[in-house]
Amino acid sequence: MTTQELSNGNCPDILERNISAQSGVVWFFGMPGSGKSTMASSLREALTKHGNWVSFLDGDQVRKRLNRDLGFSEADRTENLRRAAEIARLMAMAGSLVIVSFITPLESNRQMVREILEDHNYCECFVKCSLGTCEMRDPKGLYAKARKGEIANMTGIDAPFEVSETSEIIVDTENQPQPDCMAHLLRSLEEKGLISIG
Amino acid sequence: MTTQELSNGNCPDILERNISAQSGVVWFFGMPGSGKSTMASSLREALTKHGNWVSFLDGDQVRKRLNRDLGFSEADRTENLRRAAEIARLMAMAGSLVIVSFITPLESNRQMVREILEDHNYCECFVKCSLGTCEMRDPKGLYAKARKGEIANMTGIDAPFEVSETSEIIVDTENQPQPDCMAHLLRSLEEKGLISIG
């Protein structure tokens, strides 16, 4: 985040103003513990409190029900993401701003998602954080379990995560406090025409 | 439809009034050619023109993209419906009135759908029409193809359809003209609290 972006207003100020959303899809991705669910939840809260129609798709939640037939092989992970993108597309077509939070580890995954959603106000947001910090945070204890060999296919440990340099929005949760990340996100979404800040 | 229901106002009158929708799911089912897509589209149009958040899930559309990995065996048909119900659930949870149009041929299918959606303002609507009339209408030419043996697993021909007597709403497209069916549908949805007619 640059000084110029920060000078556009800090987050508490922005959140007091009226925010209206267009239909579209904001796709958060990043490693477990990067803070993507926190970012997604904060965005959802900021938009719903102004009466916007916001839908929410979270990886864990979708796996528990809709995609309960899928495992964690690379093929199943791809299918998990394909279905999530198709559902986001249906929701955006109905007029909703859809907030998605999935690890989406590979550039090829992101490319597939983009192809499904590119005609629907699609915006990719990389939630950037080093493996060291994600592992230190370890909010669900998954890294610890993976290091002990109790779970397999853990992103960052024994499954790959490809860092992005090209996403439309990058929020750096390692080096910026949460309110600054949120201000940057909201200003970036405004620049892309997905939201208007009154 | 009874005389009393008809006396509540005909459809063109109702459509001139303000209609506001709650979040929930209206699930249309019936044989191919029964008129469920027509009913679903008319309802969608009536609700969107008053600015309501309406989502739409149509069997053909969902099979083309999201559920393109599924065929027409009984297991695949069940999975097709399970996913549709889970998606409708996510959409209703986001605050949308979701209109679904799927054949949903078996009582066991309908029971599964109901279990997924029962906590989300769920309303099942049977679009009733005899096989003879559906086959005469044959809007997609599918019955003709099935009779010639060109397609298999055609509902009503070589795949079962179980008629419902217990659905919350039954619209009889064989014996009632479309505007009367629509008036009955709107009044029934109002009684169930899914919409308010101003």
Side-chain angles (χ1 to χ4, degrees):
Chain A
M1 191 182 301
T2 65
T3 311
Q4 193 188 356
E5 280 160 345
L6 277 172
S7 74
N8 283 332
N10 65 35
C11 190
D13 284 351
I14 296 174
L15 293 179
E16 290 309 308
R17 293 158 68 181
N18 186 47
I19 305 177
S20 68
Q22 304 300 308
S23 66
V25 181
V26 184
W27 192 287
F28 291 97
F29 72 97
M31 288 199 293
S34 60
K36 57 187 181 307
S37 294
T38 304
M39 292 301 302
S41 299
S42 301
L43 177 62
R44 177 195 206 179
E45 196 181 321
L47 296 178
T48 49
K49 88 167 185 178
H50 294 292
N52 293 289
W53 181 20
V54 179
S55 304
F56 192 63
L57 284 177
D58 174 81
D60 292 342
Q61 172 203 45
V62 170
R63 276 193 172 275
K64 261 183 218 152
R65 297 188 57 119
L66 179 74
N67 290 352
R68 66 179 187 203
D69 55 321
L70 301 174
F72 288 85
S73 69
E74 196 171 316
D76 276 8
R77 286 183 150 208
T78 302
E79 175 63 7
N80 184 47
L81 290 164
R82 186 190 72 80
R83 289 188 203 164
E86 291 288 359
I87 295 162
R89 183 175 168 275
L90 290 168
M91 290 170 160
M93 283 168 68
S96 179
L97 193 282
V98 191
I99 299 171
V100 187
S101 173
F102 275 68
I103 299 171
T104 333
L106 307 179
E107 186 50 39
S108 62
N109 300 150
R110 270 112 60 180
Q111 185 56 34
M112 174 189 70
V113 169
R114 179 175 296 282
E115 280 166 17
I116 293 170
L117 292 168
E118 61 191 349
D119 294 334
H120 302 275
N121 270 340
Y122 179 64
C123 183
E124 181 185 289
C125 180
F126 176 33
V127 184
K128 187 177 176 181
C129 186
S130 69
L131 175 60
T133 299
C134 288
E135 195 165 352
M136 202 172 58
R137 292 176 181 166
D138 203 8
K140 295 175 194 161
L142 295 175
Y143 288 105
K145 281 189 185 165
R147 291 289 183 197
K148 288 186 209 158
E150 292 171 10
I151 55 172
N153 290 319
M154 176 71 187
T155 304
I157 308 293
D158 56 349
F161 183 88
E162 295 169 2
V163 169
S164 168
E165 305 293 342
T166 56
S167 298
E168 285 108 326
I169 303 178
I170 300 180
V171 290
D172 181 348
T173 66
E174 185 159 22
N175 296 305
Q176 297 288 344
Q178 161 71 7
D180 291 356
C181 289
M182 192 63 191
H184 173 56
L185 172 66
L186 291 168
R187 286 298 177 196
S188 304
L189 291 174
E190 188 184 34
E191 273 169 30
K192 285 167 202 321
L194 267 89
I195 65 172
S196 312
I197 303 173
Chain B
M1 193 180 301
T2 66
T3 311
Q4 193 188 357
E5 281 161 343
L6 277 171
S7 74
N8 283 333
N10 64 36
C11 190
D13 284 351
I14 296 174
L15 293 178
E16 290 308 308
R17 292 158 68 180
N18 186 48
I19 305 176
S20 68
Q22 304 301 308
S23 66
V25 180
V26 184
W27 192 287
F28 291 98
F29 73 97
M31 288 199 291
S34 60
K36 58 188 180 308
S37 294
T38 304
M39 292 303 300
S41 299
S42 301
L43 178 62
R44 176 197 207 177
E45 196 181 321
L47 296 178
T48 50
K49 89 168 185 179
H50 295 292
N52 294 288
W53 294 336
V54 179
S55 305
F56 192 64
L57 284 178
D58 174 81
D60 292 342
Q61 173 204 41
V62 170
R63 275 193 171 276
K64 263 184 215 150
R65 297 188 56 120
L66 178 74
N67 290 352
R68 67 179 185 201
D69 54 321
L70 301 174
F72 288 86
S73 68
E74 196 170 317
D76 276 8
R77 285 183 151 209
T78 302
E79 175 63 7
N80 184 47
L81 290 164
R82 186 190 71 81
R83 289 188 203 164
E86 291 288 0
I87 296 163
R89 184 176 167 275
L90 290 168
M91 290 170 160
M93 284 168 68
S96 179
L97 193 282
V98 191
I99 300 172
V100 187
S101 173
F102 275 69
I103 298 171
T104 333
L106 306 179
E107 186 51 39
S108 61
N109 301 150
R110 271 114 58 182
Q111 185 56 34
M112 174 189 69
V113 169
R114 178 174 297 280
E115 280 166 19
I116 293 170
L117 292 168
E118 61 190 348
D119 294 334
H120 301 276
N121 269 340
Y122 179 63
C123 184
E124 180 185 289
C125 180
F126 176 34
V127 183
K128 186 176 176 182
C129 185
S130 70
L131 175 61
T133 299
C134 288
E135 194 166 352
M136 202 172 58
R137 293 176 181 167
D138 203 9
K140 297 175 192 161
L142 295 174
Y143 288 104
K145 282 188 185 165
R147 291 290 184 197
K148 287 185 209 159
E150 293 171 9
I151 54 173
N153 291 319
M154 175 71 187
T155 305
I157 308 294
D158 57 349
F161 182 88
E162 295 170 3
V163 168
S164 167
E165 305 293 340
T166 57
S167 299
E168 285 108 326
I169 302 179
I170 300 180
V171 290
D172 181 347
T173 66
E174 185 160 22
N175 296 304
Q176 296 289 345
Q178 161 70 6
D180 292 356
C181 289
M182 191 64 190
H184 174 56
L185 172 66
L186 291 169
R187 285 298 177 197
S188 304
L189 292 174
E190 188 184 35
E191 273 169 32
K192 285 165 203 322
L194 268 90
I195 65 172
S196 312
I197 302 173

